[in-house]
Amino acid sequence: MENRSQSPAPNAWLEKLELDSWQAELIISGIAIYGSLQLPGLIETLVNLVIVNLPGDYHYLFYFVFWYLLLAATTFITSFIGHFLLRSLWVGLVGLASVFPNGVNTLSDLFSKHYLEQAARDFSDVRSFNQKLDELCSLMFAMSFSISLTMVAFSIQLLFAMVVSGILHSLVPGIGIKTAFLGYLGLMVLPALLGGIMNIKPLRDKAWVQKIHYPLLNKAFGKVVFLFFYRPVYYINFILNTNFTKSSLFAFFGSYFAIAIVVGSVFLLNSNAILLLENGLFARSNRSDRIYSLHYADQSASEAPFFPEIESDFIDKPWLKVFVPILGRDEGILKKRCSPYQDNDKLSAEENLEAARAARTDCLLSYLSISIDGKPVNRPSLKKYDHPRGNTPGVLLHIPLDSLPTGEHTFQIDFADQSEDGEKRRYIIPFWTKF
């Protein structure tokens, strides 16, 4: 029979791992740095899918979903890089302390004895400094996961709120999607507000508050909001909240959020997510005073063209080829402007298909108004086209230029679309010809 008295405690391996956690942390940090650096690209792909496939009613709401996801991603990136650097510093100092256990050598002739004695007082206990550094690294690991999982959980809740809002809007058209969305979020936030009120000192010791406070704030609100992240997030938060003073915890979390928001804003401003807002989409319209490289195929660096695009700013052919993206926002407007084609019983299936395609072309031509040097281009050649960059759906136009003189010209395209402020969506693209 096995001697139980000599067997290790059931959790001995876990205790050993806690003591030597720096090894696991360094490995995980290295992997996580590589993985987290891929997250912004993945989020950008999701942004592009939303821009292309969903109507404009949802774009504003999705902007906040991606904002939270970018905050989560940048929190991962900054914290794992910071953790890796600090943990590497810790390993270096541990090695240094093992080689020079006495620390500062006051007998050195590099400085005066008085100078070295002051240095020895200020930098006497490298092991104590290493201990604090070790604790900081472990806290960074836990806190970064708590913040990131919270941001991801919020994004999931926003997605669910959009689904509920869309269903409610389809059932009751009088209720707008944004109104339903804000109403749902209000209901979600209400338990947290009530929990905060019940935690004030005059109330929290009352019997009726004690009966409902924890179940309401944690078991109901926490599980609904954080879903499958509930236990890890609450483990971390309860341990941190009960072992730190409010000021130190606020400073720690505040510094994390400040860094994440700054880095996240940089990613956001360089992301197509800004196009989910009307201000971002209309910012480049109605500008005749400047040239945007994104309007020229040979200059654009975008992975997916979301703005009208011509081949180059210099045209040496008698035709102007123009790609016009037709995005989710445009499709939503087209559905409202043009009734769906109804099959004619007197036509064959193939004839009805051709008629439906012709109706679609007519709808697009009524939606787009095109001019060159202020002169309208009537019914240009228009063909459905998926752009090879990003497979962006749209139409390809071919406009004859043989009547134009050599020199500067202006291509202008107006969409039958306007912002909530009444601003019309118009793109002005200068080009030069020489035949």
Side-chain angles (χ1 to χ4, degrees):
M1 192 173 176
E2 185 177 304
N3 186 353
R4 289 183 174 272
S5 63
Q6 294 180 359
S7 63
N11 292 328
W13 68 273
L14 186 58
E15 293 174 1
K16 186 178 186 306
L17 180 62
E18 289 173 351
L19 292 174
D20 298 330
S21 65
W22 65 271
Q23 299 174 17
E25 287 177 20
L26 271 176
I27 294 171
I28 294 172
S29 278
I31 297 171
I33 288 171
Y34 174 79
S36 59
L37 288 173
Q38 315 306 312
L39 291 176
L42 176 61
I43 294 171
E44 183 76 348
T45 300
L46 296 175
V47 168
N48 292 346
L49 287 173
V50 169
I51 291 174
V52 168
N53 295 293
L54 291 183
D57 292 340
Y58 291 94
H59 287 188
Y60 177 79
L61 308 180
F62 262 103
Y63 173 81
F64 294 101
V65 172
F66 291 122
W67 171 229
Y68 278 118
L69 287 177
L70 276 172
L71 277 181
T74 53
T75 300
F76 270 127
I77 292 169
T78 54
S79 61
F80 284 135
I81 291 176
H83 173 272
F84 187 84
L85 294 174
L86 289 176
R87 184 56 82 181
S88 299
L89 172 63
W90 179 85
V91 171
L93 288 174
V94 167
L96 186 66
S98 67
V99 176
F100 303 106
N102 295 324
V104 177
N105 181 10
T106 56
L107 300 179
S108 171
D109 61 355
L110 182 63
F111 298 100
S112 68
K113 184 177 180 181
H114 177 71
Y115 186 95
L116 288 173
E117 285 175 350
Q118 292 182 79
R121 283 196 299 270
D122 286 340
F123 304 99
S124 59
D125 192 358
V126 68
R127 287 182 174 82
S128 175
F129 178 77
N130 279 350
Q131 178 65 30
K132 292 178 181 178
L133 198 59
D134 179 53
E135 293 171 357
L136 176 61
C137 289
S138 297
L139 283 174
M140 284 181 67
F141 226 54
M143 193 166 289
S144 63
F145 269 102
S146 176
I147 294 174
S148 299
L149 292 178
T150 298
M151 296 298 104
V152 173
F154 285 173
S155 298
I156 294 172
Q157 286 299 328
L158 290 174
L159 285 171
F160 186 72
M162 277 189 282
V163 172
V164 172
S165 303
I167 294 172
L168 185 61
H169 175 68
S170 64
L171 295 174
V172 187
I175 300 177
I177 292 176
K178 286 185 182 179
T179 303
F181 179 79
L182 294 174
Y184 177 90
L185 291 185
L187 291 175
M188 293 296 297
V189 171
L190 184 60
L193 293 176
L194 292 175
I197 292 171
M198 285 188 284
N199 197 45
I200 62 177
K201 289 185 177 180
L203 287 177
R204 65 186 183 186
D205 292 327
K206 294 184 180 296
W208 67 272
V209 172
Q210 292 177 351
K211 186 177 181 180
I212 66 171
H213 190 193
Y214 184 83
L216 174 69
L217 191 59
N218 294 281
K219 292 190 175 181
F221 174 77
K223 288 183 178 180
V224 169
V225 171
F226 291 97
L227 304 171
F228 33 85
F229 303 130
Y230 165 72
R231 293 193 73 80
V233 168
Y234 270 71
Y235 261 122
I236 295 170
N237 288 352
F238 270 127
I239 291 172
L240 292 177
N241 288 333
T242 55
N243 285 280
F244 277 94
T245 62
K246 288 183 178 179
S247 58
S248 58
L249 192 65
F250 179 80
F252 208 18
F253 266 107
S255 61
Y256 252 86
F257 270 114
I259 294 171
I261 288 173
V262 170
V263 179
S265 297
V266 172
F267 276 108
L268 188 70
L269 292 174
N270 289 281
S271 163
N272 285 331
I274 202 72
L275 302 180
L276 295 169
L277 298 177
E278 278 194 345
N279 290 340
L281 184 64
F282 281 75
R284 296 178 178 87
S285 65
N286 294 310
R287 292 292 298 268
S288 59
D289 61 325
R290 64 163 296 171
I291 294 176
Y292 290 102
S293 61
L294 53 81
H295 286 311
Y296 305 100
D298 61 349
Q299 299 177 27
S300 177
S302 64
E303 294 182 1
F306 291 148
F307 295 93
E309 184 180 271
I310 64 175
E311 291 180 275
S312 175
D313 58 342
F314 180 78
I315 305 296
D316 57 359
K317 294 176 289 188
W319 291 89
L320 182 66
K321 185 168 75 171
V322 186
F323 172 73
V324 182
I326 303 297
L327 308 175
R329 178 186 177 93
D330 302 306
E331 292 290 357
I333 298 171
L334 289 168
K335 286 181 181 178
K336 295 175 183 178
R337 284 176 59 88
C338 306
S339 302
Y341 174 78
Q342 300 295 326
D343 284 349
N344 188 337
D345 295 337
K346 297 179 180 180
L347 300 178
S348 65
E350 186 176 344
E351 289 173 330
N352 272 314
L353 182 59
E354 289 299 320
R357 289 170 177 168
R360 167 75 175 182
T361 299
D362 290 339
C363 183
L364 286 167
L365 288 172
S366 69
Y367 179 60
L368 305 172
S369 299
I370 297 161
S371 63
I372 292 181
D373 295 339
K375 297 178 181 179
V377 178
N378 296 317
R379 296 192 66 84
S381 171
L382 181 150
K383 305 293 182 185
K384 177 176 168 53
Y385 183 74
D386 292 335
H387 202 286
R389 293 204 325 271
N391 206 35
T392 305
V395 293
L396 199 62
L397 309 177
H398 288 87
I399 303 170
L401 301 177
D402 47 7
S403 62
L404 293 182
T406 297
E408 180 180 352
H409 302 281
T410 301
F411 171 82
Q412 180 174 310
I413 181 167
D414 293 77
F415 290 70
D417 175 23
Q418 61 182 26
S419 67
E420 292 182 353
D421 297 331
E423 182 182 1
K424 198 166 186 179
R425 195 162 142 221
R426 172 185 297 122
Y427 299 102
I428 301 170
I429 307 175
F431 66 97
W432 286 256
T433 59
K434 184 178 180 181
F435 305 132

